[in-house]
């Protein structure tokens, strides 16, 4: 039996399964041809693992047992801790595991395995059955398949305008008729703080499709010179790098960029420069500006990204430093700038510099790509998820492109966390059988082909928006974000009593959300103690900060107000960001406000969908602190992350309000020193409601669809 393994539509291996023996012809990356057949050993297997995060040899060792379970015809099965459920009589999909296996079967036998990732898909398929998979779409896009070999052209030092050198690895398509450097290619640029050789294998596919690839260490990282100051130099350095690429003899002058997270941020920073050579972006889970996203979301200070700061504290990335066994003690150290010295034994210079700039001053503005954007549209394919902890970065990108011409942007928004297209379930929350896609890499390649090579493949004519509604568990399309087929609705805070905290006292937990403003005034009070903050539930194993989790137990805290709708009698779909306006009083000069939107099911589980946070002193802007007076009533508005969620019949929508989120933000001390103070005090906080103080949540509801 012959099995073929494809990565992003390119044949990477031909595996022979015979008498419990595996042999393989692996793709020779340099020549672009399959090599000699040999035993399929761990060396070859490790290469595939780096490509698609799956153990291909391991699949074959389990295949017989998988098929035994499949032949039973049950709705699901568990094998060695792996839980599979059946999808439409076509496949069994692996649940509750990042990077799952989708086992396609017929008559009890597996004929294909599909393996989705953030922007790739691996396909293991019996030879001759390729056209039954997503590979048929690749064949249509590339009818005359011509995969190039990969030629490492060398490491170049790109000079910046202020005299620093940025180490850049260059890879060119290998051609037989001439040396690679004698032809001109469109280029794909990757700028990274994580090391230009880290995960390099996933970028070979661009070279194999006829692109030059440049992978660069950003300033101050790995082999590049200069100061490592996250976000600070990326607009200018991106501009200089694009100009350098366009001037090379192997370049045709057009450049696209790709990458996720910080690698997404640097794309928008480069685009902000207005450089004419940048013609396309593949922006995945992109980081945003400091006060919208990280590290100062809402004017607070993100404690949840300290693990990342530890890993990036030295010239070369050290991911092992993220695995601290005493995070609770570390996060309690004050002042914050002493944390690295006490936890790691050395300073983190960029953290020290960050802490010098309390307000949004010129230092922070320098790295704000949205505000500094100049020039015209750069065609952008934007990819993110509802539970991406850089989701506010994607929101900034969507805000920027909303008025761009038709066909210059496209967004794919799924039920995903920061690792994106990699999970069917998140922390036990069922996301549906179609939560993952097999075409993300195809969309990416078609985007580059059209905007860098001028291929008329129609990608620019596809819907500008593709998004997934949780609850309905299906993909939809639209032409704008939020979709045009929505209407604004307002839910007003109300209540039967003057205390909306769940707690245990009489009358607690009676806060409500109503579609009509209350005729009478009311107020809800709580005490926030910085030494006993509420907990923001995170996935410390992967440093994921925005996962959907059951907050039911958290909502019983005395310092958390809860406002809930009546059960919906028919499905109500909310799609977009929410804006929560609160009228507040506080007896301290400052405090934080964190709001969450949850979906409460018939059993009372309260699953987080979106959140937002704001330091009260920045209610009128981040440029200047405006402290609270004890006798004042202040209006604050908090923008949340994005959702598309169907609140099903019997479910309720809940808004919670509190002043802390341990593991996500450093607790506000309730003093003028905010998050960075050894002295703390309790804050007595009131949320006002009624005709003159209409605290409310504004959101977008989809119109009924057939």
């Amino acid at each position: 039996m012959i099995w073929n393994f494809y990565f992003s539509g390119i044949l990477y291996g031909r595996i022979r399964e015979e008498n419990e023996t595996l042999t393989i012809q692996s793709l020779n990356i340099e020549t672009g041809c399959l090599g000699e057949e040999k035993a399929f050993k761990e060396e070859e297997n490790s290469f595939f693992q780096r490509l698609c995060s799956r153990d291909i040899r391991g699949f074959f060792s389990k295949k017989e047992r998988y098929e035994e379970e499949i032949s039973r015809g049950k709705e699901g099965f568990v094998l060695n801790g792996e839980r599979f459920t059946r999808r439409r009589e076509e496949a069994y999909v692996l649940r509750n595991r990042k990077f799952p296996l989708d086992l396609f079967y017929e008559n009890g036998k597996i004929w294909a395995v599909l393996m989705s990732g953030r922007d790739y898909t691996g396909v293991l398929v019996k030879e001759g059955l390729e056209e039954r998979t997503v590979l048929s779409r690749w064949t249509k896009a590339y009818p005359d398949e011509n995969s190039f070999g990969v030629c490492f052209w060398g490491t170049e030092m790109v000079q910046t305008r202020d005299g620093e050198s940025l180490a850049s690895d260059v890879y060119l398509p290998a051609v037989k008729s001439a040396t690679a450097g004698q032809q001109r290619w469109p280029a794909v640029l990757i700028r990274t703080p994580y090391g230009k050789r880290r995960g390099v294998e996933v970028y070979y596919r661009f070279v194999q499709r006829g692109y030059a690839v440049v992978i660069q260490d950003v300033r101050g990282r790995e082999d590049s010179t200069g100061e490592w100051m996250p976000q600070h130099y990326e607009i200018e350095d991106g501009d200089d790098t694009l100009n350098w690429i366009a001037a090379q003899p192997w370049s045709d002058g057009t450049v696209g960029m790709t990458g996720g997270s910080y690698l997404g941020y640097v794309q928008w920073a480069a685009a902000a420069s207005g450089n004419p050579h940048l013609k396309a972006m593949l922006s995945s889970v992109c980081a945003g500006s400091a006060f919208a996203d990280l590290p100062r979301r809402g004017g607070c200070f993100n404690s949840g990204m300290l693990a990342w700061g530890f890993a990036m504290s030295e010239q070369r990335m050290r991911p092992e430093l993220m695995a601290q066994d005493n995070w609770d003690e570390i996060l309690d150290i004050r002042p914050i700038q002493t944390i690295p010295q006490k936890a790691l034994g050395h300073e983190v210079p960029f953290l020290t510099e960050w802490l010098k700039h309390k307000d949004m001053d010129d230092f922070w503005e320098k790295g704000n790509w949205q505000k500094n954007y100049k020039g015209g549209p750069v065609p952008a394919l934007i990819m993110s998820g509802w539970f991406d902890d850089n989701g506010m970065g994607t929101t900034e990108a969507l805000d920027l492109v909303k008025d761009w011409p038709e066909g210059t942007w496209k967004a794919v928004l799924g039920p995903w966390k920061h690792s994106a297209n990699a999970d069917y379930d998140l922390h036990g929350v069922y996301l549906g059988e179609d939560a993952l896609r097999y075409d993300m890499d195809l969309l990416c390649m078609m985007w580059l082909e059209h905007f860098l090579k001028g291929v008329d493949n129609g990608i620019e004519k596809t819907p500008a928006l593709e998004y997934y509604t949780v609850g309905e568990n299906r993909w939809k399309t639209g032409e704008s974000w939020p979709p045009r087929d929505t209407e604004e609705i307002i839910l007003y805070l109300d209540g039967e009593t003057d205390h909306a905290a769940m707690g245990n006292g009489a009358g607690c937990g009676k806060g409500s959300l109503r579609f009509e403003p209350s005729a009478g005034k009311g107020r809800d009070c709580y005490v926030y103690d910085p030494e006993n903050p509420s907990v923001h539930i995170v996935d410390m194993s992967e440093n994921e900060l925005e996962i959907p989790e059951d907050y039911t137990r958290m909502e019983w805290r005395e310092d958390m107000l809860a406002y809930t709708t009546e059960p919906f009698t028919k499905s109500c779909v909310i799609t977009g960001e929410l804006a929560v306006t609160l009228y507040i009083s506080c007896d301290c000069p400052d405090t934080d406000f964190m709001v969450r939107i949850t979906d409460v099911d018939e059993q009372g589980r309260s699953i987080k969908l979106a959140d937002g946070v704001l330091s009260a002193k920045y209610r009128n802007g981040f440029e200047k602190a405006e402290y609270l007076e004890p006798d004042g009533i202040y209006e604050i508005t908090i923008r949340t992350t994005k959702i598309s969620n169907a609140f099903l019949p019997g479910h309720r929508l809940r808004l919670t309000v509190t002043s802390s989120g341990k593991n996500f933000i450093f607790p506000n001390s309730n003093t003028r020193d905010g998050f960075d103070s050894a002295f703390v005090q309790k804050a007595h906080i009131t949320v006002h409601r009624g005709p003159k103080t209409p605290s409310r949540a504004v959101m977008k509801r989809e119109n009924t669809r057939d």
Side-chain angles (χ1 to χ4, degrees):
M1 179 65 65
I2 303 297
W3 294 76
N4 290 332
F5 177 80
Y6 296 83
F7 183 76
S8 291
I10 298 171
L11 179 62
Y12 266 69
R14 191 168 184 265
I15 303 167
R16 185 186 302 274
E17 182 190 21
E18 190 173 321
N19 298 326
E20 300 184 353
T21 299
L22 293 178
T23 58
I24 187 170
Q25 288 178 275
S26 294
L27 180 69
N28 184 308
I29 298 299
E30 294 180 358
T31 67
C33 300
L34 294 179
E36 295 182 357
E37 188 171 354
K38 58 183 178 179
F40 189 7
K41 296 183 178 180
E42 189 55 40
E43 180 181 355
E44 288 77 19
N45 193 53
S46 63
F47 177 82
F48 294 123
Q49 286 183 303
R50 292 194 296 275
L51 275 180
C52 65
S53 302
R54 272 72 163 198
D55 181 359
I56 304 299
R57 287 179 73 238
F59 160 74
F60 283 102
S61 69
K62 301 175 184 177
K63 183 169 72 70
E64 184 176 345
R65 285 174 290 170
Y66 286 148
E67 292 179 335
E68 289 177 357
E69 295 292 341
I70 290 171
S71 64
R72 303 179 195 278
K74 297 182 178 181
E75 289 302 307
F77 64 87
V78 178
L79 183 64
N80 296 330
E82 298 176 336
R83 183 168 68 86
F84 289 84
T85 60
R86 186 165 60 185
R87 183 178 70 190
R88 294 188 295 273
E89 303 290 337
E90 64 177 9
Y92 281 87
V93 298
L94 178 59
R95 315 205 69 96
N96 283 331
R97 287 287 179 89
K98 185 177 179 179
F99 302 124
L101 297 175
D102 294 351
L103 309 177
F104 285 75
Y105 67 94
E106 193 170 67
N107 299 322
K109 299 296 184 181
I110 298 170
W111 62 271
V113 184
L114 270 65
M115 305 162 238
S116 57
R118 179 186 281 172
D119 59 357
Y120 67 79
T121 293
V123 179
L124 180 67
V125 59
K126 287 184 178 179
E127 190 169 69
L129 301 180
E130 282 87 348
E131 290 299 298
R132 295 177 59 182
T133 73
V134 69
L135 294 171
S136 64
R137 296 180 62 185
W138 283 98
T139 302
K140 183 178 180 180
Y142 293 90
D144 300 318
E145 178 63 40
N146 182 21
S147 178
F148 294 94
V150 179
C151 173
F152 176 60
W153 198 245
T155 301
E156 303 280 356
M157 303 302 292
V158 177
Q159 299 303 302
T160 68
R161 64 194 66 184
D162 60 347
E164 301 297 346
S165 300
L166 306 180
S168 308
D169 283 353
V170 179
Y171 300 84
L172 301 181
V175 294
K176 297 178 181 179
S177 60
T179 61
Q182 292 177 332
Q183 294 196 22
R184 295 182 179 271
W185 311 93
V188 176
L189 170 63
I190 301 98
R191 305 190 64 243
T192 176
Y194 305 120
K196 59 187 179 297
R197 304 288 171 86
R198 185 182 178 90
V200 64
E201 295 86 357
V202 301
Y203 302 119
Y204 290 163
R205 54 185 158 149
F206 297 109
V207 186
Q208 292 163 325
R209 298 284 185 190
Y211 297 89
V213 167
V214 179
I215 311 176
Q216 182 182 84
D217 293 328
V218 301
R219 181 184 295 233
R221 303 298 300 160
E222 300 281 329
D223 299 321
S224 292
T225 68
E227 174 190 42
W228 165 231
M229 187 60 61
Q231 302 182 339
H232 200 63
Y233 301 101
E234 307 302 4
I235 294 177
E236 295 87 352
D237 288 356
D239 185 35
D240 291 342
T241 301
L242 291 167
N243 287 334
W244 178 86
I245 291 174
Q248 300 309 299
W250 43 260
S251 170
D252 73 355
T254 62
V255 186
M257 297 185 70
T258 189
S261 195
Y262 197 94
L263 283 69
Y265 169 88
V266 296
Q267 295 182 59
W268 291 99
S273 72
N275 190 287
H277 303 294
L278 183 60
K279 302 297 186 181
M281 294 187 290
L282 306 176
S283 170
S284 184
V285 294
C286 65
S289 61
F291 281 73
D293 190 17
L294 297 172
R296 294 291 309 280
R297 185 176 166 191
C300 308
F301 198 96
N302 297 79
S303 59
M305 57 84 63
L306 196 61
W308 179 87
F310 278 16
M312 306 299 287
S313 63
E314 301 176 18
Q315 183 99 5
R316 299 183 182 275
M317 185 182 182
R318 292 186 60 190
E320 71 274 11
L321 295 181
M322 301 174 70
Q324 305 290 322
D325 57 7
N326 59 337
W327 274 116
D328 284 343
E329 292 83 359
I330 290 173
L331 295 178
D332 285 338
I333 297 172
R334 296 294 182 277
I336 294 173
Q337 71 179 63
T338 65
I339 291 178
Q341 187 67 47
K342 294 179 179 179
L344 302 177
H346 59 81
E347 184 182 3
V348 177
F350 68 81
L351 177 63
T352 301
E353 188 63 29
W354 284 353
L355 292 167
K356 294 178 182 177
H357 302 271
K358 301 296 186 183
D359 307 325
M360 189 171 64
D361 56 13
D362 291 343
F363 171 83
W364 295 112
E365 290 284 9
K366 191 173 187 298
N368 188 331
W369 52 257
Q370 188 193 53
K371 187 173 182 177
N372 290 309
Y373 198 93
K374 58 185 179 183
V378 177
L381 176 57
I382 301 167
M383 299 159 280
S384 185
W386 310 133
F387 311 111
D388 172 17
D389 50 34
N390 276 144
M392 296 305 293
T394 296
T395 296
E396 288 188 298
L398 293 169
D399 286 345
L400 183 65
V401 307
K402 64 182 179 182
D403 296 323
W404 286 7
E406 183 178 351
T408 59
W409 69 274
K410 182 180 179 68
V412 181
L413 306 174
W416 306 325
K417 58 184 181 179
H418 196 58
S419 53
N421 187 37
D423 299 87
Y424 281 109
D425 307 288
L426 294 178
H427 282 228
V429 177
Y430 174 72
L431 300 173
E433 296 180 340
D434 298 309
L436 301 186
R437 297 180 57 141
Y438 303 135
D439 64 345
M440 296 305 297
D441 47 2
L442 181 60
L443 292 177
C444 290
M445 198 64 69
M446 291 178 68
W447 195 261
L448 294 182
E449 292 282 282
H450 179 72
F451 289 105
L452 297 190
K453 294 183 178 180
V455 177
D456 185 15
N457 55 25
I459 188 67
E460 82 286 5
K461 299 175 184 176
T462 60
L465 175 67
E466 299 184 32
Y467 69 103
Y468 188 90
T469 297
V470 179
E472 292 182 348
N473 297 333
R474 64 186 180 102
W475 288 92
K476 302 174 182 177
T477 61
E479 298 305 324
S480 65
W481 175 257
R484 293 193 182 102
D485 191 22
T486 58
E487 60 178 344
E488 184 177 279
I489 63 170
I490 303 175
L491 290 174
Y492 294 91
L493 277 60
D494 205 343
E496 299 176 15
T497 70
D498 279 352
H499 194 51
M502 298 291 276
N504 296 309
C508 291
K510 299 296 184 180
S512 59
L513 290 173
R514 305 188 187 278
F515 288 95
E516 300 294 333
S518 175
K521 65 178 184 179
R523 60 180 186 175
D524 303 303
C525 306
Y526 65 94
V527 179
Y528 158 54
D529 182 358
E531 295 186 332
N532 182 29
S534 66
V535 174
H536 184 88
I537 304 174
V538 302
D539 186 340
M540 293 299 295
S541 66
E542 297 187 60
N543 199 38
E544 294 276 359
L545 308 179
E546 291 288 1
I547 55 173
E549 187 60 86
D550 186 358
Y551 273 81
T552 306
R553 294 180 63 85
M554 291 294 112
E555 292 167 357
W556 282 93
R557 290 176 59 100
E558 297 282 358
D559 61 354
M560 186 170 294
L561 307 180
Y563 304 89
T564 313
T565 66
E566 293 295 318
F568 290 99
T569 57
K570 62 180 182 180
S571 182
C572 176
V573 180
I574 304 298
T575 299
E577 304 93 25
L578 291 82
V580 178
T581 296
L582 304 174
Y583 289 84
I584 60 97
S585 301
C586 181
D587 63 351
C588 294
D590 186 34
T591 196
D592 295 336
F593 287 90
M594 172 165 270
V595 298
R596 292 189 186 91
I597 304 298
T598 66
D599 185 333
V600 184
D601 64 18
E602 297 97 324
Q603 289 74 45
R605 290 199 315 158
S606 184
I607 304 300
K608 193 209 76 170
L609 301 174
D611 58 36
V613 65
L614 181 68
S615 174
K617 64 177 176 285
Y618 293 124
R619 62 195 177 277
N620 294 320
F622 299 114
E623 296 80 7
K624 179 182 178 182
E626 299 179 32
Y627 295 101
L628 307 175
E629 297 293 337
D631 57 351
I633 297 178
Y634 303 93
E635 179 182 353
I636 67 171
T637 297
I638 305 169
R639 190 180 191 185
T640 76
T641 50
K642 302 174 292 297
I643 64 170
S644 183
N645 185 78
F647 293 87
L648 301 176
H651 287 224
R652 295 171 290 163
L653 185 155
R654 177 171 291 161
L655 166 69
T656 60
V657 181
T658 190
S659 289
S660 55
K662 186 179 179 181
N663 301 326
F664 181 57
I665 58 173
F666 284 105
N668 195 315
S669 64
N670 301 321
T671 72
R672 288 176 173 256
D673 292 327
F675 53 78
D676 197 16
S677 173
F679 172 75
V680 302
Q681 58 186 11
K682 295 181 181 180
H684 297 79
I685 298 164
T686 300
V687 175
H688 302 265
R689 42 187 170 82
K692 295 184 178 180
T693 53
S695 295
R696 61 199 181 272
V698 180
M699 61 199 75
K700 295 283 189 177
R701 179 174 63 191
E702 292 190 16
N703 295 321
T704 302
R705 302 186 180 187
D706 296 331

